[in-house]
């Protein structure tokens, strides 16, 4: 069910999408390349059950052309983020992120390619954590039960 050919309002499309998802008893909605703001129609039907991936370390660089923006800003790290979807653009609670160093010779294409490899890893990991019931939202934070990140861990580039 493609949104591209739909001529009606976004909320009407989302209502049709909800009907289709409910017909198939979907428990989780996983967006990839959807490129549309989700309306409350879908978010109400699947509360805290819509995931999205973004090719930047949110909250930095939401929206489009994020590698170009990262390179223009001279950041030393970029990456990708899986988050719960809310009514804003790339503003929902963050589940997992992967950090990718920005190299001196990077272009939008080379940086995008390295980030895409990490997107494939963390999206499946976020879905796994959800399926295992290990995610709990506390305000804006997503707490992952059993996570093992140490307080002294860090990354440095260069």
């Amino acid at each position: 069910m493609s949104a591209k050919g739909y001529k009606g309002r976004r909320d009407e499309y989302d209502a049709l999408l909800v009907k289709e998802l409910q017909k198939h008893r979907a428990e989780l909605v996983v967006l990839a390349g959807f490129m549309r703001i989700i309306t409350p129609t879908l978010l109400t039907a699947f509360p805290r059950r819509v995931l999205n991936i973004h090719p930047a370390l949110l909250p930095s660089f939401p929206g489009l052309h994020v590698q170009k923006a990262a390179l223009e800003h001279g950041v030393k790290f970029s990456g990708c983020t899986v988050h719960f979807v809310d009514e804003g653009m790339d503003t929902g609670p963050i589940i997992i992120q992967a950090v990718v160093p920005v190299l001196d010779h990077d272009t939008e294409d080379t940086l995008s390619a390295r980030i895409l490899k990490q997107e494939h890893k963390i999206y499946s990991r976020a879905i796994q954590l959800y399926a295992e019931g290990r995610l709990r939202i506390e305000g804006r934070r997503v707490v992952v039960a059993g996570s093992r990140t140490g307080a002294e861990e860090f990354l440095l580039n260069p």
Side-chain angles (χ1 to χ4, degrees):
M1 179 167 171
S2 172
K4 288 185 180 183
Y6 189 75
K7 302 292 184 207
R9 296 186 336 245
R10 284 188 299 181
D11 61 329
E12 292 172 340
Y13 176 80
D14 282 1
L16 292 171
L17 187 57
V18 165
K19 279 185 180 180
E20 191 67 21
L21 291 167
Q22 289 173 336
K23 182 171 87 175
H24 293 284
R25 296 193 185 109
E27 293 180 32
L28 181 67
V29 179
V30 179
L31 305 175
F34 197 66
M35 307 303 286
R36 292 172 61 111
I37 298 290
I38 302 299
T39 67
T41 302
L42 181 62
L43 296 175
T44 301
F46 293 91
R48 297 185 177 204
R49 294 186 293 146
V50 181
L51 303 184
N52 190 28
I53 189 147
H54 183 72
L57 295 174
L58 293 174
S60 296
F61 309 119
L64 302 173
H65 310 292
V66 297
Q67 284 78 30
K68 179 180 181 195
L71 291 168
E72 287 173 352
H73 278 79
V75 299
K76 299 298 181 186
F77 291 100
S78 189
C80 47
T81 303
V82 177
H83 62 94
F84 284 103
V85 175
D86 62 12
E87 293 182 24
M89 181 176 33
D90 299 323
T91 58
I94 294 169
I95 299 167
I96 188 171
Q97 294 180 303
V99 177
V100 174
V102 177
L103 307 176
D104 290 340
H105 62 275
D106 265 331
T107 65
E108 286 181 68
D109 289 339
T110 60
L111 182 56
S112 295
R114 285 200 326 281
I115 290 172
L116 183 61
K117 288 180 183 178
Q118 299 308 312
E119 286 184 72
H120 294 154
K121 293 176 185 177
I122 69 169
Y123 216 174
S124 59
R125 178 73 176 140
I127 295 165
Q128 177 184 4
L129 292 169
Y130 179 90
E132 292 172 350
R134 294 178 54 197
L135 303 178
R136 183 178 75 251
I137 301 174
E138 294 179 358
R140 292 225 21 93
R141 291 184 46 150
V142 176
V143 177
V144 180
S147 64
R148 297 180 302 263
T149 302
E152 300 299 320
E153 294 180 25
F154 69 94
L155 300 172
L156 182 66
N157 180 22

Short mmCIF file of all heavy atoms in Angstrom, two decimals, residues 51-54 80-84 93-97 119 122-123 126-127:
data_model
loop_
_atom_site.label_atom_id
_atom_site.label_comp_id
_atom_site.label_asym_id
_atom_site.label_seq_id
_atom_site.Cartn_x
_atom_site.Cartn_y
_atom_site.Cartn_z
N LEU A 51 8.21 2.29 15.06
CA LEU A 51 9.64 2.56 15.06
C LEU A 51 10.06 3.17 13.74
O LEU A 51 9.48 2.89 12.70
CB LEU A 51 10.45 1.27 15.26
CG LEU A 51 10.20 0.41 16.48
CD1 LEU A 51 11.19 -0.75 16.51
CD2 LEU A 51 10.28 1.22 17.75
N ASN A 52 11.11 4.00 13.82
CA ASN A 52 11.69 4.57 12.61
C ASN A 52 13.21 4.58 12.76
O ASN A 52 13.73 4.57 13.87
CB ASN A 52 11.19 6.00 12.39
CG ASN A 52 11.57 6.53 11.02
OD1 ASN A 52 11.73 5.78 10.06
ND2 ASN A 52 11.72 7.83 10.92
N ILE A 53 13.88 4.62 11.64
CA ILE A 53 15.34 4.74 11.64
C ILE A 53 15.70 6.03 10.92
O ILE A 53 15.03 6.42 9.95
CB ILE A 53 16.04 3.53 11.00
CG1 ILE A 53 17.53 3.62 11.23
CG2 ILE A 53 15.67 3.38 9.54
CD1 ILE A 53 18.22 2.30 11.40
N HIS A 54 16.74 6.68 11.43
CA HIS A 54 17.18 7.95 10.85
C HIS A 54 18.70 7.91 10.71
O HIS A 54 19.39 7.49 11.64
CB HIS A 54 16.76 9.10 11.77
CG HIS A 54 17.11 10.43 11.21
ND1 HIS A 54 16.44 11.00 10.14
CD2 HIS A 54 18.06 11.33 11.56
CE1 HIS A 54 16.97 12.17 9.87
NE2 HIS A 54 17.97 12.40 10.71
N CYS A 80 23.59 6.73 13.17
CA CYS A 80 22.18 6.48 12.91
C CYS A 80 21.46 6.22 14.22
O CYS A 80 22.07 5.85 15.23
CB CYS A 80 22.00 5.33 11.93
SG CYS A 80 22.98 3.86 12.29
N THR A 81 20.15 6.39 14.17
CA THR A 81 19.31 6.32 15.35
C THR A 81 18.03 5.56 15.03
O THR A 81 17.38 5.84 14.02
CB THR A 81 18.91 7.74 15.80
OG1 THR A 81 20.08 8.51 16.03
CG2 THR A 81 18.05 7.71 17.06
N VAL A 82 17.64 4.64 15.91
CA VAL A 82 16.31 4.04 15.87
C VAL A 82 15.54 4.67 17.02
O VAL A 82 16.03 4.73 18.15
CB VAL A 82 16.34 2.51 16.01
CG1 VAL A 82 14.92 1.95 16.03
CG2 VAL A 82 17.15 1.88 14.89
N HIS A 83 14.33 5.13 16.72
CA HIS A 83 13.52 5.80 17.73
C HIS A 83 12.06 5.43 17.59
O HIS A 83 11.61 4.99 16.53
CB HIS A 83 13.70 7.32 17.64
CG HIS A 83 13.25 7.91 16.33
ND1 HIS A 83 11.98 8.42 16.14
CD2 HIS A 83 13.89 8.06 15.16
CE1 HIS A 83 11.87 8.86 14.89
NE2 HIS A 83 13.03 8.65 14.28
N PHE A 84 11.33 5.59 18.71
CA PHE A 84 9.88 5.50 18.65
C PHE A 84 9.38 6.74 17.93
O PHE A 84 9.93 7.83 18.10
CB PHE A 84 9.27 5.43 20.05
CG PHE A 84 9.42 4.10 20.72
CD1 PHE A 84 10.36 3.92 21.71
CD2 PHE A 84 8.61 3.03 20.36
CE1 PHE A 84 10.51 2.69 22.34
CE2 PHE A 84 8.74 1.80 20.98
CZ PHE A 84 9.69 1.63 21.97
N PRO A 93 11.36 9.24 21.35
CA PRO A 93 12.36 8.68 22.26
C PRO A 93 13.31 7.72 21.55
O PRO A 93 12.89 6.85 20.78
CB PRO A 93 11.51 7.95 23.31
CG PRO A 93 10.18 8.62 23.27
CD PRO A 93 9.99 9.02 21.84
N ILE A 94 14.59 7.89 21.83
CA ILE A 94 15.66 7.14 21.15
C ILE A 94 15.85 5.78 21.80
O ILE A 94 16.02 5.67 23.01
CB ILE A 94 16.96 7.96 21.20
CG1 ILE A 94 16.79 9.23 20.35
CG2 ILE A 94 18.15 7.13 20.71
CD1 ILE A 94 17.90 10.24 20.52
N ILE A 95 15.86 4.75 20.97
CA ILE A 95 16.05 3.37 21.43
C ILE A 95 17.52 2.98 21.37
O ILE A 95 18.09 2.47 22.33
CB ILE A 95 15.21 2.39 20.57
CG1 ILE A 95 13.73 2.73 20.70
CG2 ILE A 95 15.49 0.95 20.97
CD1 ILE A 95 12.85 2.04 19.68
N ILE A 96 18.13 3.19 20.21
CA ILE A 96 19.51 2.74 20.01
C ILE A 96 20.17 3.63 18.96
O ILE A 96 19.49 4.13 18.06
CB ILE A 96 19.54 1.24 19.58
CG1 ILE A 96 20.95 0.68 19.54
CG2 ILE A 96 18.81 1.03 18.27
CD1 ILE A 96 20.98 -0.84 19.32
N GLN A 97 21.46 3.83 19.11
CA GLN A 97 22.23 4.61 18.14
C GLN A 97 23.54 3.88 17.85
O GLN A 97 24.07 3.18 18.70
CB GLN A 97 22.55 6.01 18.68
CG GLN A 97 21.32 6.87 18.86
CD GLN A 97 21.63 8.25 19.39
OE1 GLN A 97 22.23 8.38 20.44
NE2 GLN A 97 21.21 9.28 18.66
N GLU A 119 22.94 0.98 10.10
CA GLU A 119 21.48 1.01 10.17
C GLU A 119 20.91 -0.41 10.14
O GLU A 119 20.00 -0.74 10.89
CB GLU A 119 20.90 1.82 9.00
CG GLU A 119 21.06 3.30 9.13
CD GLU A 119 20.39 4.04 7.99
OE1 GLU A 119 19.14 4.08 7.97
OE2 GLU A 119 21.11 4.56 7.13
N ILE A 122 21.51 -1.98 13.69
CA ILE A 122 20.79 -1.50 14.86
C ILE A 122 19.28 -1.60 14.72
O ILE A 122 18.58 -1.71 15.72
CB ILE A 122 21.21 -0.07 15.28
CG1 ILE A 122 20.77 0.99 14.29
CG2 ILE A 122 22.70 -0.02 15.55
CD1 ILE A 122 20.92 2.42 14.82
N TYR A 123 18.77 -1.57 13.49
CA TYR A 123 17.31 -1.68 13.34
C TYR A 123 16.85 -3.07 13.78
O TYR A 123 15.89 -3.20 14.53
CB TYR A 123 16.88 -1.38 11.92
CG TYR A 123 15.55 -0.64 11.83
CD1 TYR A 123 15.09 -0.18 10.61
CD2 TYR A 123 14.77 -0.37 12.94
CE1 TYR A 123 13.90 0.53 10.50
CE2 TYR A 123 13.58 0.32 12.85
CZ TYR A 123 13.15 0.76 11.62
OH TYR A 123 11.96 1.46 11.52
N ALA A 126 17.03 -3.22 17.56
CA ALA A 126 15.92 -2.52 18.22
C ALA A 126 14.65 -3.36 18.17
O ALA A 126 13.91 -3.45 19.17
CB ALA A 126 15.69 -1.17 17.57
N ILE A 127 14.38 -3.98 17.03
CA ILE A 127 13.20 -4.83 16.91
C ILE A 127 13.31 -6.02 17.87
O ILE A 127 12.34 -6.39 18.53
CB ILE A 127 13.01 -5.29 15.45
CG1 ILE A 127 12.70 -4.08 14.57
CG2 ILE A 127 11.92 -6.36 15.34
CD1 ILE A 127 12.85 -4.34 13.07
#
